[in-house]
Amino acid sequence: MKEDFPAVLKIIGEDRFHNLITDYLIKHPSTSYTLRDVGKKLPDFLGTHPLSGKYPFLPDLARLEWLIIESFDAPDSKTLSVDDLKAFAPDQWPHLTFKFVDSFHLMESGWPVGTLHNRPVSEAKEAKPKSEKLRIWRFDLTVYTRIVDDEEYSLLMMIQKGKPFGDICEALAGTCGFEQAVPTAAKKLSGWLKNGLLKEAKL
């Protein structure tokens, strides 16, 4: 559990962490042959634990750490490339849908947990409520967390829901204008491909 939730451990300290996990395991004892999943319910448990009164960001911080574990353990995915997309004709692009690699997750929090995750304890303890949106994924053997703005988060949610490329362009047209919508969408898509976020494009 210390390995799975290092930021939570660092913030509350060894003694409180020991007591937290003791409380947690009394209510949620392991029921699996493997200890890999034993911490799965800790983020929700923290939401009802007295520690969240002192550190209200702890449930979301634990949720982020669990998503990092999920990303690391996810099956490998062959990532989509620019060459793969050359198979589609220009008139097919508005109808293209994409799938993320299996390690990809989106997270929204009312606390800056992505910022706090690797910061000194003193900064974490003084954290103020602030909306933060994150994408979490594994590329090769490394799990990455990136803070994204509202626009990118909205576009990534559209992809996750199976919306086609044409809908993404229409959404961008509302903010950058019709003429810039397609090149802006193409630039964002290029960045997602470079980061290894996508595994499939289909009609």
Side-chain angles (χ1 to χ4, degrees):
M1 294 291 276
K2 288 180 179 179
E3 292 176 359
D4 289 348
F5 300 98
V8 173
L9 167 63
K10 182 173 67 174
I11 289 167
I12 66 177
E14 291 273 353
D15 291 343
R16 284 177 175 166
F17 189 83
H18 177 274
N19 293 337
L20 167 66
I21 301 307
T22 300
D23 293 344
Y24 172 70
L25 290 176
I26 289 172
K27 189 168 183 178
H28 300 288
S30 177
T31 58
S32 173
Y33 69 93
T34 173
L35 292 178
R36 187 268 181 200
D37 295 330
V38 71
K40 185 175 184 178
K41 297 179 180 179
L42 184 64
D44 290 338
F45 180 77
L46 269 167
T48 63
H49 195 274
L51 276 173
S52 64
K54 185 175 178 63
Y55 307 113
F57 56 85
L58 277 184
D60 279 1
L61 183 61
R63 185 156 62 99
L64 172 59
E65 295 201 289
W66 187 254
L67 288 177
I68 290 171
I69 294 170
E70 294 275 80
S71 288
F72 186 80
D73 289 345
D76 291 333
S77 300
K78 183 182 181 299
T79 54
L80 194 67
S81 70
V82 173
D83 287 339
D84 293 329
L85 295 177
K86 291 179 180 178
F88 299 99
D91 62 345
Q92 294 178 312
W93 271 76
H95 310 291
L96 275 184
T97 60
F98 301 93
K99 283 190 176 181
F100 291 117
V101 293
D102 293 330
S103 64
F104 182 84
H105 298 280
L106 286 170
M107 177 179 170
E108 184 173 6
S109 174
W111 294 88
V113 291
T115 303
L116 296 174
H117 187 244
N118 293 310
R119 294 293 179 88
V121 172
S122 58
E123 289 186 33
K125 290 183 176 181
E126 296 175 2
K128 305 296 183 185
K130 180 184 176 183
S131 177
E132 195 170 78
K133 297 175 174 65
L134 302 160
R135 69 185 198 202
I136 303 109
W137 78 106
R138 189 185 75 241
F139 189 60
D140 290 332
L141 295 177
T142 302
V143 175
Y144 296 93
T145 62
R146 291 289 183 271
I147 299 168
V148 299
D149 59 25
D150 290 345
E151 181 180 77
E152 181 171 359
Y153 187 83
S154 177
L155 297 177
L156 293 171
M157 283 291 292
M158 291 180 69
I159 291 177
Q160 200 167 59
K161 293 177 181 178
K163 300 295 183 182
F165 188 72
D167 286 10
I168 293 171
C169 293
E170 286 184 17
L172 285 168
T175 56
C176 66
F178 182 76
E179 290 185 356
Q180 291 300 316
V182 173
T184 300
K187 183 177 179 180
K188 289 185 178 295
L189 178 60
S190 176
W192 298 334
L193 291 172
K194 183 178 180 180
N195 288 163
L197 301 188
L198 302 170
K199 70 174 183 178
E200 181 179 283
K202 65 178 183 179
L203 295 170

